[in-house]
């Protein structure tokens, strides 16, 4: 069955607040550190990382940062700084050896400052050092990486190894109507991706594979508040099918396998892996005017869309553009007005004939860049692989 | 011919040369001197030379010809590797076989083969022997041999923009360079890039030809102590404090490698934020893995940590770059590095004896049961 329109639903995932960091605070923290105010520098660094938060005093009161289902605990005792985030508790019924192998090979071997440490049967990510050695840049990196690691694997660890989740923050389940909407998105998204895979088998185009791969992951990331083992499984599959260094045949097979598996997931499993989590440290990067310009404009983008339209390849043209919007919405936090402006072309394009959808999204991109784009941000907060993480170029 | 060389490869006097800038190859001209490229040792006056048993000895640069890209290094003690003769044949023919010995990309001594593509290729106003044999970083300074195992050239460079276009310094130039070194009366000298005059101290103009040597970085740099990178400065201070000779440990730009007892230790910057110390110690056995993994993950090891990289257990220490740039706390960090080096040497024994692990291929197994090691 040929594809006549794209499915680009409104998200169930709540919008992350756009809270740009005040980089002057980070600079101030460095100045404090260098002038010997080491404890004050720790408080200032945390306040920089979490805009709106009152500057904490870790000597007087330990701090617990809720990051999804993880609790990252910080305190200062004497001249030492301590960070800890419990990952799991080994139990007699768990596959402890496999879990320990995972920690020592997949978590420890990443070479981060934090490390998985075992105390009795509890595995936690830990870091400790003298306050005098907690430079703000080190502390900021430590908090960001620990928060990401701790919140990414908890449910997956339980499902994979039968370990016990401990010291976890409960995640608010979706309301009934939200859950129904999420299930509808889940079903329709994977059905649409399967149709695209059929189209890909006919066309045998690596460019189309790249676009479908980006669509498969970024739409789910954007539309659903997914966490736990399902998210981890998707991420593992994405590592293969979105890897442009990998052979296209292997990527296509991985994507097909992923679609097949995702379509078989039960409602119970979905329910376990959907929920609205709180994040002390924004897990998204702050979007910037220059990022908008970079992703939604440029001679190469115009040329590609023009060539696709001229060749009558409307699916590729529409999907190519939709993926750019999904990427910006999935992985970056925006002011409400820009988020709405990014969402609008998807609403207009969803369900419409492909040619019209492509034209609508192209016109909106031009207007968006004109209204909100920019060049040369002083401090762009975007990942190093921002140009390839989700966008098709 | 190749089979003969390969049979005797461990006995050849061809060794890997290490500096803070990279690694290359050198070959013996007698028991205490080896020839390599000038660009291999530049800008250092002392280098490390690794023997086949992985021990390293100090080498002092005695003579350099930056223009002809040759250098002589004097070893701190005589070594017994076979000295390959310099060929006395001046003329070589195209298509004649060439055998290149060296340490490509840091691999153990390797032999690559090809033919002479041009025996006298003019490039940048100098003649080279051109070959199609594979030349890679690390081969520099190594000997190019003919079928009679005579040195016919010294590997120097290749064209990056072309395939299989490598160059060697013709043996006649090498022989002249060595003969002039034998007659040298000063402990160190750099030859003027323009007239070959040997110059023993920094000077602006060549006393012989009047060339302005201030414009020649490849001349000047041998007379100035290289600026130490703050990271290199910190690491080498920490190594020296732990009784590890930093010169012998150098392994290229911001890289160090050495053994402490049985433990191979590497130090490198993986990114702009982290300075890594790591030692590949052992491989897990087939039984008792739960206990082993519990030990590896135990909180008692902090600030060090173990991980499993493939099938090798490593002990690691990560130092954040901001700590390196906090000099007031260096004493603490230097002490931490020292503890890491000491603990790595005893950890492999513990893993093998208590947890049934196997030595890692890189481990110096000879040292595992040494009394000093047992006591570490």
């Amino acid at each position: 069955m040929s594809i006549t329109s794209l499915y680009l639903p409104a998200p169930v995932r709540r919008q992350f607040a756009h809270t740009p960091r005040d980089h002057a605070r980070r600079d101030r923290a460095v100045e404090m550190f260098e002038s010997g105010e080491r404890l004050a520098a720790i408080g200032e660094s945390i306040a920089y990382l979490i805009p709106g938060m009152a500057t904490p005093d870790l000597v007087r009161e330990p701090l617990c940062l809720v990051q999804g289902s993880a609790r990252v605990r910080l305190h200062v005792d004497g001249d030492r700084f301590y960070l800890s985030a419990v990952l799991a508790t080994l139990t007699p019924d768990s596959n402890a050896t496999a879990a320990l192998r995972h920690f020592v090979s997949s978590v420890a071997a990443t070479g981060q400052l934090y490390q998985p440490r075992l105390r009795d049967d509890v595995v936690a990510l830990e870091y400790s050092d003298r306050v005098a050695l907690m430079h703000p840049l080190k502390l900021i990196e430590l908090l960001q990486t620990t928060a990401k690691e701790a919140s990414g694997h908890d449910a997956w660890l339980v499902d994979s190894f039968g370990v016990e989740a401990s010291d976890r923050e409960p995640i608010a389940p979706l309301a009934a109507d939200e859950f129904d909407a999420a299930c509808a998105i889940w079903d329709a998204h994977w059905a649409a991706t399967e149709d695209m895979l059929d189209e890909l088998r006919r066309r045998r185009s690596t460019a189309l594979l790249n676009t479908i791969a980006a669509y498969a992951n970024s739409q789910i990331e954007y539309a659903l508040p997914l966490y736990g083992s399902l998210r981890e499984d998707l991420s593992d599959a994405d590592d293969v099918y979105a890897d442009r260094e990998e052979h296209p045949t292997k990527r296509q097979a991985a994507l097909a396998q992923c679609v097949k598996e995702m379509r078989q997931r039960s409602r119970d499993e979905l329910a376990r892996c959907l929920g609205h989590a709180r994040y002390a440290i924004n897990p998204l990067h702050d979007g910037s005017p220059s990022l908008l310009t970079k992703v939604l404009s440029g001679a190469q983008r115009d040329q590609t869309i023009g060539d696709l339209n001229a060749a009558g390849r409307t699916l590729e043209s529409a999907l190519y553009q939709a993926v750019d919007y999904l990427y910006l919405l999935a992985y970056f936090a925006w002011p409400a007005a820009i988020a709405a402006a990014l969402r609008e072309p998807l609403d207009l394009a969803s369900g419409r004939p492909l040619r019209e959808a492509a034209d609508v999204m192209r016109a909106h991109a031009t207007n968006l860049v004109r209204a909100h784009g920019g060049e040369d941000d002083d401090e762009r907060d975007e990942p190093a692989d921002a140009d390839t993480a989700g966008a098709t170029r | 011919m190749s089979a003969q060389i390969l049979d005797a490869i461990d006995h050849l006097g061809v060794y890997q040369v290490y500096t803070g800038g990279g690694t290359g190859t050198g070959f013996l001209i007698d028991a205490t001197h080896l020839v390599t490229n000038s660009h291999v040792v530049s800008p250092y006056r002392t280098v490390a030379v690794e023997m086949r048993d992985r021990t390293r000895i100090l080498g002092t640069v005695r003579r350099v010809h930056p223009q002809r890209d040759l250098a002589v290094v004097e070893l701190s003690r005589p070594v017994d590797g076979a000295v390959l003769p310099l060929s006395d044949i001046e003329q070589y023919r195209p298509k004649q076989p060439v055998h290149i010995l060296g340490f490509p990309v840091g691999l153990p001594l390797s032999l690559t083969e090809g033919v002479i593509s041009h025996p006298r290729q003019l490039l940048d106003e100098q003649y080279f022997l051109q070959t199609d044999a594979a030349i890679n970083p690390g081969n520099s300074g190594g000997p190019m041999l003919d079928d009679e195992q005579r040195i016919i050239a010294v590997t120097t460079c290749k064209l990056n923009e072309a395939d299989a276009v490598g160059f060697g310094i013709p043996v006649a130039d090498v022989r002249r360079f060595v003969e002039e070194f034998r007659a040298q009366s000063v402990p160190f000298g750099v030859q003027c890039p323009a007239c070959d005059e040997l110059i023993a101290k920094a000077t602006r103009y060549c006393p012989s030809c009047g060339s302005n040597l201030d414009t020649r970085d490849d001349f000047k740099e041998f007379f100035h102590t290289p600026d130490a990178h703050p990271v290199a400065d910190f690491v080498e201070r920490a190594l020296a404090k732990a009784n590890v000779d930093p010169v012998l440990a150098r392994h290229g730009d911001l890289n160090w490698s050495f053994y402490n007892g049985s433990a191979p230790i590497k130090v490198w910057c993986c990114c702009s934020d982290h300075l890594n110390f790591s030692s590949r110690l052992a491989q897990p056995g087939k039984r008792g893995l739960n206990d082993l993994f519990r030990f590896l993950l135990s909180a008692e090891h902090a600030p060090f940590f173990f991980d499993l990289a493939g099938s090798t257990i490593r002990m690691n220490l990560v130092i954040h770059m901001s700590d390196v740039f906090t000099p007031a706390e260096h004493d603490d960090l230097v002490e931490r590095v020292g503890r890491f080096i000491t603990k790595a040497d005893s950890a492999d024994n513990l893993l093998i004896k208590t947890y049934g692990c196997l030595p890692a291929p890189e481990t110096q197994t000879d040292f595992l049961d040494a009394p000093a090691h047992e006591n570490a």
Side-chain angles (χ1 to χ4, degrees):
Chain A
M1 192 177 71
S2 65
I3 299 169
T4 58
S5 65
L6 295 182
Y7 176 66
L8 303 163
V12 173
R13 186 181 90 172
R14 289 175 188 160
Q15 193 178 324
F16 284 90
H18 179 253
T19 48
R21 296 192 178 113
D22 177 3
H23 300 304
R25 290 200 82 162
R26 183 188 55 195
D27 296 343
R28 198 155 53 241
V30 172
E31 284 170 18
M32 288 172 166
F33 181 85
E34 287 175 350
S35 66
E37 298 172 66
R38 306 280 161 93
L39 278 170
I42 289 176
E44 192 69 9
S45 303
I46 296 170
Y48 157 76
L49 202 54
I50 309 172
M53 180 191 211
T55 306
D57 181 348
L58 298 186
V59 178
R60 287 188 181 170
E61 192 175 359
L63 183 64
C64 176
L65 302 176
V66 173
Q67 194 72 12
S69 56
R71 292 173 177 157
V72 182
R73 299 180 182 279
L74 318 172
H75 74 280
V76 170
D77 186 2
D79 70 343
R80 285 195 80 81
F81 166 88
Y82 294 89
L83 170 147
S84 173
V86 173
L87 290 179
T89 301
L90 306 175
T91 63
D93 297 333
S94 63
N95 193 339
T97 306
L100 291 166
R101 178 184 278 275
H102 166 77
F103 293 126
V104 79
S105 59
S106 298
V107 182
T110 57
Q112 297 292 339
L113 292 170
Y114 65 75
Q115 281 301 317
R117 304 285 187 190
L118 182 67
R119 294 176 189 276
D120 296 327
D121 286 323
V122 178
V123 181
L125 299 180
E126 290 186 7
Y127 185 81
S128 175
D129 212 335
R130 289 172 50 230
V131 167
L133 281 167
M134 291 312 299
H135 190 281
L137 299 182
K138 173 175 158 183
L139 176 59
I140 289 164
E141 177 196 314
L142 176 68
L143 288 176
Q144 286 180 314
T145 54
T146 309
K148 187 176 177 191
E149 179 66 35
S151 63
H153 297 103
D154 50 340
W156 179 81
L157 290 170
V158 172
D159 288 352
S160 299
F161 304 116
V163 296
E164 188 178 290
S166 43
D167 197 23
R168 313 305 299 183
E169 187 75 8
I171 291 188
L174 301 188
D177 58 334
E178 286 179 321
F179 182 66
D180 291 344
C183 290
I185 290 172
W186 183 262
D187 294 342
H189 171 78
W190 293 116
T193 308
E194 189 155 50
D195 289 344
M196 289 176 192
L197 264 172
D198 287 341
E199 193 67 23
L200 177 64
R201 290 183 184 110
R202 275 195 289 276
R203 305 255 186 107
R204 300 176 65 185
S205 156
T206 303
L208 182 57
L209 171 60
N210 292 340
T211 316
I212 296 172
Y215 168 81
N217 194 42
S218 56
Q219 169 134 288
I220 289 292
E221 184 73 23
Y222 162 58
L224 300 180
L226 206 57
Y227 69 97
S229 58
L230 203 44
R231 183 157 196 227
E232 199 63 23
D233 292 347
L234 269 176
S235 173
D236 286 348
D238 179 67
D239 285 345
V240 181
Y241 69 67
D243 180 2
R244 295 182 189 199
E245 303 293 315
E246 194 53 83
H247 194 280
T249 308
K250 185 176 176 186
R251 293 175 56 198
Q252 190 174 324
L255 180 56
Q257 182 66 23
C258 174
V259 171
K260 186 178 166 190
E261 285 178 11
M262 292 306 143
R263 297 196 75 178
Q264 290 171 349
R265 299 295 173 127
S266 68
R267 287 287 185 263
D268 284 350
E269 195 171 357
L270 263 179
R272 280 205 308 275
C273 295
L274 284 164
H276 297 298
R278 290 187 295 135
Y279 294 90
I281 301 170
N282 194 338
L284 301 190
H285 298 267
D286 284 329
S288 68
S290 69
L291 181 66
L292 278 182
T293 303
K294 187 173 158 190
V295 174
L296 294 179
S297 66
Q300 190 195 340
R301 184 177 194 272
D302 289 344
Q303 176 81 37
T304 303
I305 296 168
D307 289 349
L308 291 172
N309 288 345
R313 290 156 66 180
T314 50
L315 169 63
E316 277 141 293
S317 174
L319 193 59
Y320 178 88
Q321 295 180 70
V323 160
D324 283 346
Y325 288 106
L326 289 171
Y327 166 66
L328 290 170
L329 287 163
Y331 300 103
F332 298 90
W334 300 95
I338 299 180
L342 284 167
R343 177 63 228 172
E344 189 181 357
L346 297 180
D347 285 335
L348 293 169
S350 186
R352 259 169 108 164
L354 292 170
R355 183 63 188 234
E356 289 177 31
D359 289 346
V360 163
M361 287 189 282
R362 193 178 193 183
H364 266 76
T366 306
N367 294 336
L368 243 163
V369 170
R370 194 177 299 134
H372 302 291
E375 306 282 347
D376 301 321
D377 299 337
D378 284 335
E379 300 252 13
R380 271 213 310 262
D381 187 17
E382 61 184 89
D385 56 352
D387 56 346
T388 56
T392 54
R393 294 186 303 284
Chain B
M1 161 61 190
S2 304
Q4 290 171 344
I5 290 183
L6 281 173
D7 285 346
I9 205 162
D10 279 344
H11 305 292
L12 296 177
V14 180
Y15 302 106
Q16 196 165 9
V17 179
Y18 290 82
T19 73
T23 72
T25 305
F27 60 89
L28 290 180
I29 52 173
D30 57 48
T32 52
H33 295 95
L34 58 78
V35 164
T36 184
N37 285 142
S38 166
H39 81 259
V40 167
V41 298
S42 167
Y44 298 91
R45 299 270 285 265
T46 49
V47 301
V49 179
E50 186 168 284
M51 301 292 105
R52 214 68 83 231
D53 64 1
R54 296 176 178 161
T55 58
R56 293 183 188 177
I57 62 175
L58 205 63
T60 306
V61 179
R62 293 296 184 206
R63 186 184 187 95
V64 182
H65 194 326
Q67 181 70 12
R68 194 64 280 204
D69 198 15
L70 288 169
V72 173
V73 174
E74 184 174 295
L75 305 176
S76 58
R77 64 169 171 82
V79 295
D80 56 4
V83 178
L84 291 158
L86 296 177
S87 169
D88 51 10
I89 299 172
E90 297 291 332
Q91 295 291 321
Y92 284 91
R93 301 181 314 278
K95 292 193 177 177
Q96 201 170 321
V98 173
H99 312 271
I100 294 180
L101 284 166
F103 299 85
V105 293
L107 291 169
L109 182 59
S110 307
L111 179 71
T112 54
E113 297 189 313
V115 296
I116 295 175
S117 309
H118 195 301
R120 201 168 152 77
Q121 185 68 271
L122 186 62
L123 195 73
D124 292 340
E125 302 177 347
Q126 296 191 97
Y127 288 102
F128 291 89
L129 185 146
Q130 182 187 331
T131 177
D132 67 347
I135 292 175
N136 288 292
N139 273 119
S140 288
M144 290 184 174
L145 308 179
D146 64 9
D147 275 343
E148 307 305 317
Q149 296 194 31
R150 295 172 300 201
I151 295 171
I152 61 172
V154 174
T155 307
T156 176
C157 63
K158 66 171 182 174
L159 288 186
N160 286 328
E161 58 271 27
D163 289 331
V165 182
F167 298 100
I169 302 155
V171 68
D173 290 352
V174 181
R175 194 184 309 110
R176 187 178 316 115
F177 179 73
V178 172
E179 285 167 359
E180 288 171 356
F181 163 69
R182 301 282 189 211
Q184 181 176 315
S185 58
V186 292
F188 173 76
V190 183
Q191 289 186 253
C192 169
C195 71
D196 293 352
E197 175 77 5
L198 188 69
I199 300 168
K201 59 183 181 183
T203 177
R204 185 170 182 187
Y205 299 107
C206 172
S208 175
C209 70
S211 296
N212 184 351
L213 298 172
D214 262 0
T215 63
R216 294 296 302 246
D217 287 342
D218 55 356
F219 174 88
K220 279 194 309 181
E221 62 194 7
F222 283 103
F223 291 105
H224 299 292
T225 305
D227 288 336
H229 189 287
V231 176
D233 193 53
F234 166 74
V235 171
E236 298 203 348
R237 199 149 63 84
L239 297 187
K241 182 85 175 171
N243 295 320
V244 175
D245 187 325
V247 175
L248 294 183
R250 286 175 187 157
H251 194 148
D253 186 34
L254 298 186
N255 270 266
W256 295 262
S257 64
F258 57 93
Y259 279 88
N260 186 40
S262 54
I265 295 172
K266 288 182 186 294
V267 187
W268 77 99
C269 298
C270 68
C271 59
S272 58
D273 293 327
H274 295 167
L275 174 63
N276 299 275
F277 294 74
S278 185
S279 183
R280 297 169 71 87
L281 297 174
Q283 296 179 329
K286 299 197 185 307
R287 298 282 180 273
L289 292 177
N290 189 290
D291 289 343
L292 170 66
F293 294 152
R294 280 180 175 271
F295 169 75
L296 297 180
L297 288 166
S298 170
E300 72 189 61
H301 303 307
F304 315 129
F305 64 95
F306 291 94
D307 66 9
L308 190 59
S311 59
T312 302
I313 298 167
R314 302 184 301 190
M315 193 176 114
N316 311 282
L317 168 66
V318 176
I319 292 179
H320 198 267
M321 213 52 89
S322 62
D323 293 342
V324 176
F325 287 86
T326 307
E329 305 301 328
H330 274 192
D331 287 350
D332 185 2
L333 292 172
V334 164
E335 186 269 337
R336 199 176 291 184
V337 170
R339 275 195 291 131
F340 174 82
I341 292 171
T342 304
K343 187 166 178 176
D345 182 31
S346 56
D348 50 3
N349 236 17
L350 181 70
L351 290 170
I352 291 163
K353 294 197 169 167
T354 308
Y355 295 100
C357 294
L358 306 167
E362 298 90 342
T363 307
Q364 291 209 136
T365 47
D366 293 353
F367 282 78
L368 279 172
D369 293 322
H373 187 258
E374 292 274 32
N375 296 334

